Amino acid sequence: MTYVSPMRRGAEHQVFQALADPSRRAIYEALARGEAAVQDITVRFALSQPAVSQHLATLKAAGLVSGRREGRHVYYRVEPRGLEPLVDWIAYYRAFWTEHVDRLEHLLERMDG
C-alpha cells in the first residue's frame, strides 16, 4: 500500500464526516446547482438559520464550500476541488481491490488447472 500522509488522512476524514450528515449533503447538493445566501438555504430546508450556518461552517472547514460577504448577506458556493480527497480515496481503493481480485482469480485458475 502507498503511504498516505496524516494531513491527507485528516482531509479525507473531514470530507467524509461533513458529508455523512444528510442535511449537509442536501445543502451541498443544493449549492452544486449554484451559489446561494444563507437565508435562501434556510428557506429551502426545514432548518433554523443557526443550524444552516453550523452545517455551512462544517462544509467550509472540510474545504467543500466557500463563502463571500456582500453587504449583510453571506453567499456560499461549492469549491470544485473540495471533493478531491474523496475522489483520491475512491481511486486508491478501486485500484487496490482490482489488483487483489485479479490476483485471486489467477490463484484460483492455477488451483483449478
CSV table of all heavy atoms in Angstrom, one decimal, residues 43-85:
chain,number,residue,atom,x,y,z
A,43,VAL,N,-34.6,28.9,3.8
A,43,VAL,CA,-35.9,28.8,3.3
A,43,VAL,C,-36.2,27.4,2.6
A,43,VAL,O,-37.2,26.8,2.7
A,43,VAL,CB,-36.2,30.0,2.3
A,43,VAL,CG1,-37.5,29.7,1.5
A,43,VAL,CG2,-36.2,31.3,3.0
A,44,ARG,N,-35.1,26.9,1.9
A,44,ARG,CA,-35.3,25.7,1.1
A,44,ARG,C,-35.4,24.5,2.1
A,44,ARG,O,-36.0,23.4,1.7
A,44,ARG,CB,-34.1,25.5,0.2
A,44,ARG,CG,-34.1,26.3,-1.0
A,44,ARG,CD,-32.9,25.9,-1.9
A,44,ARG,NE,-32.4,27.1,-2.5
A,44,ARG,CZ,-31.3,27.0,-3.2
A,44,ARG,NH1,-30.6,25.9,-3.4
A,44,ARG,NH2,-30.8,28.1,-3.8
A,45,PHE,N,-34.8,24.5,3.2
A,45,PHE,CA,-34.7,23.4,4.1
A,45,PHE,C,-35.5,23.7,5.4
A,45,PHE,O,-35.6,24.8,5.8
A,45,PHE,CB,-33.3,23.0,4.5
A,45,PHE,CG,-32.5,22.6,3.2
A,45,PHE,CD1,-31.7,23.6,2.6
A,45,PHE,CD2,-32.5,21.3,2.8
A,45,PHE,CE1,-31.0,23.2,1.4
A,45,PHE,CE2,-31.8,21.0,1.6
A,45,PHE,CZ,-31.1,21.9,1.0
A,46,ALA,N,-36.0,22.7,6.0
A,46,ALA,CA,-36.7,22.9,7.3
A,46,ALA,C,-35.7,22.9,8.5
A,46,ALA,O,-35.8,22.1,9.4
A,46,ALA,CB,-37.7,21.7,7.5
A,47,LEU,N,-34.8,23.9,8.4
A,47,LEU,CA,-33.8,24.1,9.4
A,47,LEU,C,-33.8,25.5,9.8
A,47,LEU,O,-34.1,26.4,9.0
A,47,LEU,CB,-32.4,23.7,8.8
A,47,LEU,CG,-32.2,22.2,8.4
A,47,LEU,CD1,-30.9,22.1,7.6
A,47,LEU,CD2,-32.2,21.3,9.6
A,48,SER,N,-33.3,25.7,11.1
A,48,SER,CA,-33.2,27.1,11.5
A,48,SER,C,-31.9,27.7,10.9
A,48,SER,O,-31.0,27.0,10.4
A,48,SER,CB,-33.1,27.1,13.1
A,48,SER,OG,-31.8,26.5,13.4
A,49,GLN,N,-31.9,29.1,10.9
A,49,GLN,CA,-30.7,29.8,10.4
A,49,GLN,C,-29.4,29.4,11.1
A,49,GLN,O,-28.4,29.1,10.5
A,49,GLN,CB,-31.0,31.3,10.4
A,49,GLN,CG,-30.0,32.1,9.6
A,49,GLN,CD,-28.7,32.5,10.4
A,49,GLN,OE1,-28.9,32.7,11.6
A,49,GLN,NE2,-27.6,32.5,9.8
A,50,PRO,N,-29.5,29.3,12.5
A,50,PRO,CA,-28.2,28.9,13.1
A,50,PRO,C,-27.8,27.4,12.7
A,50,PRO,O,-26.6,27.2,12.6
A,50,PRO,CB,-28.6,28.9,14.6
A,50,PRO,CG,-29.7,29.9,14.7
A,50,PRO,CD,-30.5,29.8,13.4
A,51,ALA,N,-28.8,26.6,12.5
A,51,ALA,CA,-28.4,25.2,12.1
A,51,ALA,C,-27.8,25.2,10.7
A,51,ALA,O,-26.8,24.5,10.5
A,51,ALA,CB,-29.7,24.3,12.1
A,52,VAL,N,-28.4,26.0,9.8
A,52,VAL,CA,-27.8,26.1,8.5
A,52,VAL,C,-26.4,26.6,8.5
A,52,VAL,O,-25.5,26.1,7.9
A,52,VAL,CB,-28.7,26.9,7.5
A,52,VAL,CG1,-28.0,27.2,6.2
A,52,VAL,CG2,-30.0,26.2,7.2
A,53,SER,N,-26.2,27.7,9.3
A,53,SER,CA,-24.9,28.3,9.5
A,53,SER,C,-23.9,27.3,10.0
A,53,SER,O,-22.7,27.2,9.6
A,53,SER,CB,-25.0,29.5,10.4
A,53,SER,OG,-25.7,30.5,9.8
A,54,GLN,N,-24.3,26.5,11.0
A,54,GLN,CA,-23.4,25.5,11.6
A,54,GLN,C,-23.1,24.4,10.5
A,54,GLN,O,-21.9,24.0,10.4
A,54,GLN,CB,-24.1,24.8,12.8
A,54,GLN,CG,-23.1,23.9,13.6
A,54,GLN,CD,-23.8,23.4,14.9
A,54,GLN,OE1,-25.0,23.6,15.1
A,54,GLN,NE2,-23.0,22.8,15.7
A,55,HIS,N,-24.0,24.0,9.7
A,55,HIS,CA,-23.7,23.0,8.7
A,55,HIS,C,-22.8,23.6,7.6
A,55,HIS,O,-21.9,22.9,7.2
A,55,HIS,CB,-25.0,22.6,8.0
A,55,HIS,CG,-25.9,21.6,8.8
A,55,HIS,ND1,-25.4,20.5,9.4
A,55,HIS,CD2,-27.2,21.7,9.1
A,55,HIS,CE1,-26.3,19.9,10.0
A,55,HIS,NE2,-27.4,20.6,9.9
A,56,LEU,N,-23.0,24.9,7.3
A,56,LEU,CA,-22.1,25.5,6.3
A,56,LEU,C,-20.7,25.7,6.9
A,56,LEU,O,-19.7,25.5,6.1
A,56,LEU,CB,-22.7,26.9,5.9
A,56,LEU,CG,-23.9,26.8,5.0
A,56,LEU,CD1,-24.6,28.2,4.9
A,56,LEU,CD2,-23.6,26.3,3.6
A,57,ALA,N,-20.6,25.9,8.2
A,57,ALA,CA,-19.3,26.0,8.8
A,57,ALA,C,-18.5,24.7,8.7
A,57,ALA,O,-17.3,24.7,8.4
A,57,ALA,CB,-19.4,26.5,10.2
A,58,THR,N,-19.3,23.6,8.9
A,58,THR,CA,-18.6,22.3,8.8
A,58,THR,C,-18.2,22.0,7.4
A,58,THR,O,-17.1,21.5,7.1
A,58,THR,CB,-19.6,21.2,9.3
A,58,THR,OG1,-20.0,21.5,10.7
A,58,THR,CG2,-19.0,19.8,9.2
A,59,LEU,N,-19.1,22.3,6.4
A,59,LEU,CA,-18.7,22.1,5.0
A,59,LEU,C,-17.5,23.0,4.6
A,59,LEU,O,-16.7,22.6,3.8
A,59,LEU,CB,-19.9,22.4,4.1
A,59,LEU,CG,-21.1,21.5,4.2
A,59,LEU,CD1,-22.3,22.0,3.5
A,59,LEU,CD2,-20.8,20.1,3.6
A,60,LYS,N,-17.5,24.2,5.1
A,60,LYS,CA,-16.4,25.1,4.8
A,60,LYS,C,-15.1,24.6,5.4
A,60,LYS,O,-14.0,24.6,4.8
A,60,LYS,CB,-16.7,26.5,5.3
A,60,LYS,CG,-15.7,27.6,4.9
A,60,LYS,CD,-16.2,28.9,5.4
A,60,LYS,CE,-15.1,30.0,5.0
A,60,LYS,NZ,-15.5,31.3,5.5
A,61,ALA,N,-15.1,24.1,6.7
A,61,ALA,CA,-13.9,23.6,7.3
A,61,ALA,C,-13.4,22.4,6.6
A,61,ALA,O,-12.2,22.1,6.6
A,61,ALA,CB,-14.3,23.2,8.8
A,62,ALA,N,-14.3,21.6,5.9
A,62,ALA,CA,-13.8,20.5,5.1
A,62,ALA,C,-13.3,20.9,3.8
A,62,ALA,O,-12.9,20.0,3.0
A,62,ALA,CB,-15.0,19.5,5.0
A,63,GLY,N,-13.4,22.2,3.4
A,63,GLY,CA,-13.0,22.6,2.1
A,63,GLY,C,-14.0,22.4,1.0
A,63,GLY,O,-13.7,22.5,-0.2
A,64,LEU,N,-15.2,22.1,1.4
A,64,LEU,CA,-16.2,21.7,0.4
A,64,LEU,C,-17.0,22.9,-0.2
A,64,LEU,O,-17.5,22.9,-1.3
A,64,LEU,CB,-17.2,20.7,0.9
A,64,LEU,CG,-16.6,19.3,1.3
A,64,LEU,CD1,-17.6,18.5,2.1
A,64,LEU,CD2,-16.3,18.6,0.0
A,65,VAL,N,-17.1,24.0,0.6
A,65,VAL,CA,-17.7,25.2,0.2
A,65,VAL,C,-16.9,26.4,0.6
A,65,VAL,O,-16.0,26.3,1.5
A,65,VAL,CB,-19.2,25.4,0.8
A,65,VAL,CG1,-20.0,24.2,0.3
A,65,VAL,CG2,-19.2,25.5,2.2
A,66,SER,N,-17.2,27.5,0.0
A,66,SER,CA,-16.6,28.8,0.4
A,66,SER,C,-17.7,29.9,0.5
A,66,SER,O,-18.7,29.7,-0.2
A,66,SER,CB,-15.5,29.2,-0.5
A,66,SER,OG,-16.0,29.5,-1.8
A,67,GLY,N,-17.4,30.9,1.2
A,67,GLY,CA,-18.4,32.0,1.4
A,67,GLY,C,-17.8,33.3,1.0
A,67,GLY,O,-16.6,33.5,1.1
A,68,ARG,N,-18.7,34.2,0.6
A,68,ARG,CA,-18.2,35.6,0.3
A,68,ARG,C,-19.3,36.5,0.9
A,68,ARG,O,-20.5,36.2,0.8
A,68,ARG,CB,-18.0,35.8,-1.2
A,68,ARG,CG,-19.3,35.8,-2.0
A,68,ARG,CD,-19.0,36.2,-3.4
A,68,ARG,NE,-20.2,36.1,-4.2
A,68,ARG,CZ,-21.2,37.0,-4.2
A,68,ARG,NH1,-21.0,38.2,-3.6
A,68,ARG,NH2,-22.3,36.9,-4.9
A,69,ARG,N,-18.9,37.6,1.5
A,69,ARG,CA,-19.8,38.5,2.1
A,69,ARG,C,-20.1,39.6,1.1
A,69,ARG,O,-19.3,40.1,0.4
A,69,ARG,CB,-19.2,39.1,3.3
A,69,ARG,CG,-20.1,40.1,4.0
A,69,ARG,CD,-19.6,40.5,5.4
A,69,ARG,NE,-19.7,39.4,6.4
A,69,ARG,CZ,-20.8,39.1,7.0
A,69,ARG,NH1,-21.9,39.7,6.7
A,69,ARG,NH2,-20.8,38.1,7.9
A,70,GLU,N,-21.4,39.9,1.0
A,70,GLU,CA,-21.9,41.0,0.2
A,70,GLU,C,-22.9,41.8,1.0
A,70,GLU,O,-24.0,41.3,1.2
A,70,GLU,CB,-22.5,40.5,-1.1
A,70,GLU,CG,-22.7,41.6,-2.1
A,70,GLU,CD,-23.2,41.0,-3.5
A,70,GLU,OE1,-22.5,40.2,-4.1
A,70,GLU,OE2,-24.3,41.4,-3.9
A,71,GLY,N,-22.5,42.9,1.6
A,71,GLY,CA,-23.4,43.7,2.4
A,71,GLY,C,-23.7,42.9,3.7
A,71,GLY,O,-22.7,42.4,4.4
A,72,ARG,N,-24.9,42.7,4.0
A,72,ARG,CA,-25.3,41.9,5.2
A,72,ARG,C,-25.4,40.4,4.9
A,72,ARG,O,-25.7,39.7,5.9
A,72,ARG,CB,-26.6,42.5,5.7
A,72,ARG,CG,-26.5,43.9,6.2
A,72,ARG,CD,-27.8,44.4,6.8
A,72,ARG,NE,-28.4,43.5,7.7
A,72,ARG,CZ,-29.6,43.6,8.1
A,72,ARG,NH1,-30.4,44.5,7.6
A,72,ARG,NH2,-30.1,42.7,9.0
A,73,HIS,N,-25.3,40.0,3.7
A,73,HIS,CA,-25.5,38.6,3.3
A,73,HIS,C,-24.2,37.9,3.1
A,73,HIS,O,-23.2,38.5,2.6
A,73,HIS,CB,-26.4,38.5,2.1
A,73,HIS,CG,-27.7,39.1,2.3
A,73,HIS,ND1,-28.7,38.6,3.1
A,73,HIS,CD2,-28.2,40.3,1.9
A,73,HIS,CE1,-29.8,39.3,3.1
A,73,HIS,NE2,-29.5,40.4,2.4
A,74,VAL,N,-24.2,36.6,3.4
A,74,VAL,CA,-23.0,35.8,3.0
A,74,VAL,C,-23.5,34.7,2.0
A,74,VAL,O,-24.5,34.1,2.3
A,74,VAL,CB,-22.4,35.0,4.3
A,74,VAL,CG1,-21.3,34.1,3.8
A,74,VAL,CG2,-22.0,36.1,5.3
A,75,TYR,N,-22.8,34.7,0.9
A,75,TYR,CA,-23.2,33.7,-0.2
A,75,TYR,C,-22.2,32.6,-0.2
A,75,TYR,O,-21.0,32.8,-0.1
A,75,TYR,CB,-23.2,34.4,-1.5
A,75,TYR,CG,-24.3,35.5,-1.7
A,75,TYR,CD1,-24.1,36.8,-1.2
A,75,TYR,CD2,-25.5,35.2,-2.2
A,75,TYR,CE1,-25.0,37.7,-1.3
A,75,TYR,CE2,-26.5,36.1,-2.3
A,75,TYR,CZ,-26.3,37.4,-1.9
A,75,TYR,OH,-27.3,38.4,-2.0
A,76,TYR,N,-22.8,31.4,-0.3
A,76,TYR,CA,-21.9,30.2,-0.3
A,76,TYR,C,-22.0,29.5,-1.7
A,76,TYR,O,-23.0,29.6,-2.4
A,76,TYR,CB,-22.4,29.2,0.8
A,76,TYR,CG,-21.9,29.6,2.1
A,76,TYR,CD1,-22.7,30.5,2.9
A,76,TYR,CD2,-20.7,29.2,2.6
A,76,TYR,CE1,-22.3,30.9,4.2
A,76,TYR,CE2,-20.3,29.6,3.9
A,76,TYR,CZ,-21.1,30.5,4.6
A,76,TYR,OH,-20.7,30.9,5.9
A,77,ARG,N,-20.9,28.9,-2.0
A,77,ARG,CA,-20.8,28.1,-3.3
A,77,ARG,C,-19.9,26.9,-3.1
A,77,ARG,O,-19.1,26.9,-2.1
A,77,ARG,CB,-20.3,29.0,-4.4
A,77,ARG,CG,-18.9,29.4,-4.3
A,77,ARG,CD,-18.5,30.4,-5.4
A,77,ARG,NE,-17.2,31.0,-5.1
A,77,ARG,CZ,-16.1,30.7,-5.7
A,77,ARG,NH1,-16.1,29.9,-6.8
A,77,ARG,NH2,-15.0,31.3,-5.4
A,78,VAL,N,-20.1,25.9,-3.9
A,78,VAL,CA,-19.2,24.7,-3.9
A,78,VAL,C,-17.8,25.0,-4.3
A,78,VAL,O,-17.6,25.8,-5.3
A,78,VAL,CB,-19.9,23.6,-4.7
A,78,VAL,CG1,-18.9,22.5,-5.0
A,78,VAL,CG2,-21.2,23.1,-4.1
A,79,GLU,N,-16.9,24.5,-3.6
A,79,GLU,CA,-15.5,24.5,-4.0
A,79,GLU,C,-15.2,23.3,-4.9
A,79,GLU,O,-15.2,22.2,-4.4
A,79,GLU,CB,-14.5,24.5,-2.8
A,79,GLU,CG,-14.4,25.9,-2.2
A,79,GLU,CD,-13.8,26.9,-3.1
A,79,GLU,OE1,-12.8,26.6,-3.8
A,79,GLU,OE2,-14.3,28.0,-3.2
A,80,PRO,N,-14.9,23.6,-6.2
A,80,PRO,CA,-14.7,22.4,-7.1
A,80,PRO,C,-13.7,21.4,-6.7
A,80,PRO,O,-13.8,20.2,-6.9
A,80,PRO,CB,-14.3,23.1,-8.4
A,80,PRO,CG,-14.8,24.5,-8.3
A,80,PRO,CD,-14.7,24.8,-6.8
A,81,ARG,N,-12.6,21.8,-6.0
A,81,ARG,CA,-11.5,20.9,-5.6
A,81,ARG,C,-11.8,20.3,-4.2
A,81,ARG,O,-11.0,19.5,-3.8
A,81,ARG,CB,-10.2,21.6,-5.6
A,81,ARG,CG,-9.8,22.2,-7.0
A,81,ARG,CD,-8.5,22.8,-7.0
A,81,ARG,NE,-7.5,21.8,-6.6
A,81,ARG,CZ,-6.3,21.8,-6.9
A,81,ARG,NH1,-5.8,22.9,-7.5
A,81,ARG,NH2,-5.5,20.9,-6.6
A,82,GLY,N,-12.9,20.6,-3.6
A,82,GLY,CA,-13.2,20.2,-2.3
A,82,GLY,C,-13.4,18.6,-2.2
A,82,GLY,O,-13.1,18.1,-1.2
A,83,LEU,N,-13.9,18.0,-3.3
A,83,LEU,CA,-14.1,16.6,-3.2
A,83,LEU,C,-12.8,15.8,-3.6
A,83,LEU,O,-12.9,14.5,-3.6
A,83,LEU,CB,-15.2,16.2,-4.2
A,83,LEU,CG,-16.6,16.6,-3.7
A,83,LEU,CD1,-17.7,16.2,-4.8
A,83,LEU,CD2,-17.0,15.9,-2.4
A,84,GLU,N,-11.7,16.4,-3.9
A,84,GLU,CA,-10.5,15.7,-4.3
A,84,GLU,C,-10.1,14.6,-3.3
A,84,GLU,O,-9.7,13.5,-3.7
A,84,GLU,CB,-9.4,16.7,-4.6
A,84,GLU,CG,-9.4,17.3,-6.0
A,84,GLU,CD,-8.2,18.1,-6.3
A,84,GLU,OE1,-7.3,18.1,-5.5
A,84,GLU,OE2,-8.3,18.8,-7.3
A,85,PRO,N,-10.1,14.9,-2.0
A,85,PRO,CA,-9.7,13.8,-1.1
A,85,PRO,C,-10.6,12.6,-1.2
A,85,PRO,O,-10.1,11.5,-1.1
A,85,PRO,CB,-9.8,14.5,0.3
A,85,PRO,CG,-9.7,15.9,0.1
A,85,PRO,CD,-10.3,16.2,-1.3
